[in-house]
């Protein structure tokens, strides 16, 4: 996922080299395709649930397989994960094995009773809520949700904080959400939320009213970074974009703000489980071309270590990706999801990379 995290409060970060070899440490688990929203942009194309989704028993067995693989950190999402009636059962089962949960949700169903049970009965650590805007009418249009839902979610966000969970809000960067991001940052500051996450959408599933995949979004986001830097309380900016540190906007901003570049760990220390059990390296790539197995019958560690697709994600330069670029050993050949969205190939160059774009422009001028 192409993410930028604007961190208002000190917390956890990691400065280790993200290209270093690693064991399997983290799993994304999209628990259902069911969702009570129908957002313009959704990397799982959520709406109705699939009849082949993992049953409760299969989900509990999945937790045990995750524990056996030595993974103790799960990021749960959907769809809307709280539409699974057994989510508390699954989270409690995770707790028995010491597995913590970070949950991404639209926040519409997180009433105080469920939050209390999550705090008291599970090892849930944090929530990321897709807010996208501070304007209630636009919220309803963007999410295709009831007109009064913004206020409900805002109250639920306040309750998330009251129950002691780390609180993040997110926004998918589009031509329509971009102008309101400074106001969202201000609201996060006023409410005491820890982080504002900017998602740069990848064109692999449902995508509507978005910027083109190869749009120079960092240049468009420069005023957002400047606004964030003016706050009286801020900590740092984390980027989860392989080539971020090479963008001229970031190079300028790093002279006055702290950046930590986390790159992309897809296939390097993490995998994704989709609602029907299919496994893929990247949470943004719930597409058959990238499936590497299924949790119902495949061993997580074996798939992680030996899948040819994971090997390509870990070492794309060995497959000819960006083979003539001096930065490739540091940026890992860019984003495989972006390359796939632009070309339909996993082993293509990432043409959204600013270094690639500058070289392409030079070659166009001097063929």
């Amino acid at each position: 996922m192409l993410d930028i995290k604007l961190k208002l409060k000190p917390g956890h970060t990691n400065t280790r080299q993200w290209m270093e070899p690693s064991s399997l440490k983290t799993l994304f688990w999209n628990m259902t395709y069911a969702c009570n929203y129908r957002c313009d942009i959704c990397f799982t194309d959520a709406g109705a649930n699939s009849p082949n989704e993992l049953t409760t028993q299969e989900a509990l067995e999945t937790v045990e397989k995750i524990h056996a693989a030595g993974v103790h950190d799960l990021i749960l999402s959907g769809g809307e994960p709280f539409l699974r009636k057994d989510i508390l059962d699954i989270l409690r089962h995770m707790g028995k094995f010491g597995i913590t949960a970070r949950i991404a949700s639209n926040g519409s169903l997180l009433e105080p009773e469920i939050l209390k049970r999550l705090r008291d009965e599970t090892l849930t650590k944090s929530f990321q809520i897709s807010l996208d805007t501070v304007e209630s009418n636009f919220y309803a249009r963007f999410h295709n949700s009831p007109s009064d839902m913004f206020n409900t979610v805002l109250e639920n966000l306040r309750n998330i904080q009251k129950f002691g969970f780390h609180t993040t809000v997110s926004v998918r960067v589009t031509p329509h959400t971009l102008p309101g991001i400074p106001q969202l940052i201000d609201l996060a500051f006023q409410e005491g939320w820890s982080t504002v996450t900017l998602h740069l959408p990848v064109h692999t599933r449902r995508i509507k009213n978005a910027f083109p995949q190869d749009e120079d979004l960092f240049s468009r986001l420069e005023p957002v970074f400047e606004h964030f830097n003016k706050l009286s309380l801020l900590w740092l900016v984390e980027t989860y974009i392989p080539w971020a540190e090479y963008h001229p906007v970031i190079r300028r901003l790093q002279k006055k703000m702290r950046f930590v570049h986390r790159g992309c760990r897809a296939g390097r220390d993490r995998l994704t489980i989709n609602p029907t059990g299919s496994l893929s390296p990247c949470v943004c790539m719930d597409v058959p071309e990238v499936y590497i197995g299924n949790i119902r019958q495949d061993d997580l560690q074996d798939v992680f270590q030996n899948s040819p697709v994971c090997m390509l994600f870990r070492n794309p330069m060995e497959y000819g990706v960006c083979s003539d670029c001096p930065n490739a050993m540091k940026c890992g050949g860019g984003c495989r999801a972006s390359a796939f969205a632009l070309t339909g190939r996993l082993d293509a160059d990432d043409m959204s990379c600013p270094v690639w774009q500058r070289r392409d422009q030079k070659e166009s001028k001097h063929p």
Side-chain angles (χ1 to χ4, degrees):
M1 190 180 296
L2 300 173
D3 281 354
I4 303 164
K5 294 183 180 290
L6 308 178
K7 296 202 165 189
L8 293 154
K9 296 181 178 181
H12 175 74
T13 190
N14 191 328
T15 57
R16 80 176 172 90
Q17 293 298 312
W18 59 273
M19 286 278 291
E20 290 178 355
S22 173
S23 59
L24 179 62
K25 295 182 181 297
T26 300
L27 285 167
F28 289 89
W29 185 358
N30 294 326
M31 305 185 77
T32 180
Y33 288 119
C35 190
N36 53 337
Y37 287 3
R38 185 73 178 175
C39 301
D40 285 352
I41 294 171
C42 180
F43 59 78
T44 61
D45 197 16
N49 68 321
S50 165
N52 194 34
E53 291 182 5
L54 297 177
T55 65
T56 298
Q57 184 59 38
E58 288 174 325
L60 298 179
E61 291 170 358
T62 293
V63 169
E64 294 167 17
K65 292 176 182 178
I66 290 167
H67 171 69
V71 176
H72 303 289
D73 180 34
L74 288 189
I75 302 167
L76 306 181
S77 187
E80 172 47 51
F82 287 92
L83 285 175
R84 276 199 73 125
K85 298 184 185 303
D86 55 4
I87 188 168
L88 274 170
D89 296 325
I90 297 168
L91 284 163
R92 279 194 295 263
H93 200 57
M94 287 167 52
K96 293 177 184 177
F97 295 97
I99 301 173
T100 58
R102 294 177 276 164
I103 303 178
S105 165
N106 62 37
S108 63
L109 305 175
L110 294 173
E111 297 178 347
E113 181 182 353
I114 185 83
L115 291 169
K116 183 178 186 302
R117 295 188 68 183
L118 290 167
R119 183 194 65 186
D120 295 345
E121 302 173 23
T122 78
L123 296 183
T124 301
K125 296 192 300 185
S126 65
F127 284 93
Q128 178 174 280
I129 304 301
S130 304
L131 202 57
D132 295 291
T133 179
V134 299
E135 205 278 310
S136 59
N137 289 331
F138 176 59
Y139 180 95
R141 292 197 304 274
F142 185 82
H143 297 92
N144 283 293
S145 67
S147 59
D148 59 346
M149 192 55 75
F150 175 80
N151 291 327
T152 297
V153 172
L154 190 58
E155 183 60 28
N156 290 347
L157 270 162
R158 290 165 178 156
N159 286 324
I160 288 169
Q161 274 194 294
K162 288 176 185 176
F163 282 97
F165 296 107
H166 183 277
T167 309
T168 294
V169 294
S170 65
V171 52
R172 286 156 282 193
V173 180
T174 75
H176 301 293
T177 62
L178 178 61
I181 294 177
Q183 289 72 38
L184 183 58
I185 293 170
D186 290 344
L187 180 62
F189 178 78
Q190 294 161 16
E191 295 284 341
W193 300 330
S194 298
T195 303
V196 176
T197 296
L198 312 180
H199 296 310
L200 280 55
V202 180
H203 294 220
T204 51
R205 292 301 298 267
R206 186 164 73 236
I207 197 86
K208 181 181 177 183
N209 299 322
F211 286 111
Q213 183 67 65
D214 56 356
E215 180 78 13
D216 180 8
L217 287 182
F218 274 98
S219 293
R220 290 184 178 273
L221 285 167
E222 186 169 11
V224 171
F225 291 121
E226 295 285 5
H227 184 86
F228 178 70
N229 193 45
K230 292 176 183 176
L231 297 179
S232 59
L233 176 70
L234 62 102
W235 184 37
L236 57 80
V237 178
E238 277 184 344
T239 69
Y240 292 77
I241 301 169
W243 42 256
E245 62 184 296
Y246 300 104
H247 197 286
V249 167
I250 301 302
R251 291 189 164 183
R252 288 197 300 272
L253 290 168
Q254 283 182 145
K255 297 175 182 178
K256 53 186 174 181
M257 301 169 63
R258 183 186 174 195
F259 278 79
V260 174
H261 299 295
R262 302 288 302 277
C264 174
R265 301 298 302 171
R268 291 188 169 94
D269 73 358
R270 60 197 59 198
L271 297 175
T272 297
I273 306 172
N274 84 358
T276 61
S278 291
L279 302 169
S280 71
C282 174
V283 70
C284 292
M285 302 195 76
D286 188 0
V287 291
E289 295 92 331
V290 191
Y291 292 163
I292 56 177
N294 193 290
I295 195 65
R296 286 181 166 112
Q297 66 265 0
D298 293 307
D299 180 80
L300 281 168
Q301 285 289 1
D302 179 60
V303 167
F304 174 74
Q305 294 292 341
N306 300 314
S307 159
V309 173
C310 282
M311 292 178 186
L312 189 156
F313 269 69
R314 286 193 285 268
N315 297 293
M317 296 75 68
E318 295 182 6
Y319 295 78
V321 175
C322 298
S323 56
D324 59 345
C325 179
N327 300 317
M329 292 305 295
K330 283 194 68 179
C331 82
C335 172
R336 294 300 87 218
S338 177
F340 182 83
L342 286 164
T343 69
R345 291 171 45 205
L346 282 174
D347 61 352
D349 291 352
D350 175 7
M351 294 182 290
S352 66
C353 166
V355 176
W356 191 97
Q357 292 181 349
R358 287 198 298 272
R359 295 177 71 186
D360 185 57
Q361 289 168 2
K362 287 180 182 179
E363 291 171 5
S364 298
K365 291 179 182 177
H366 307 285

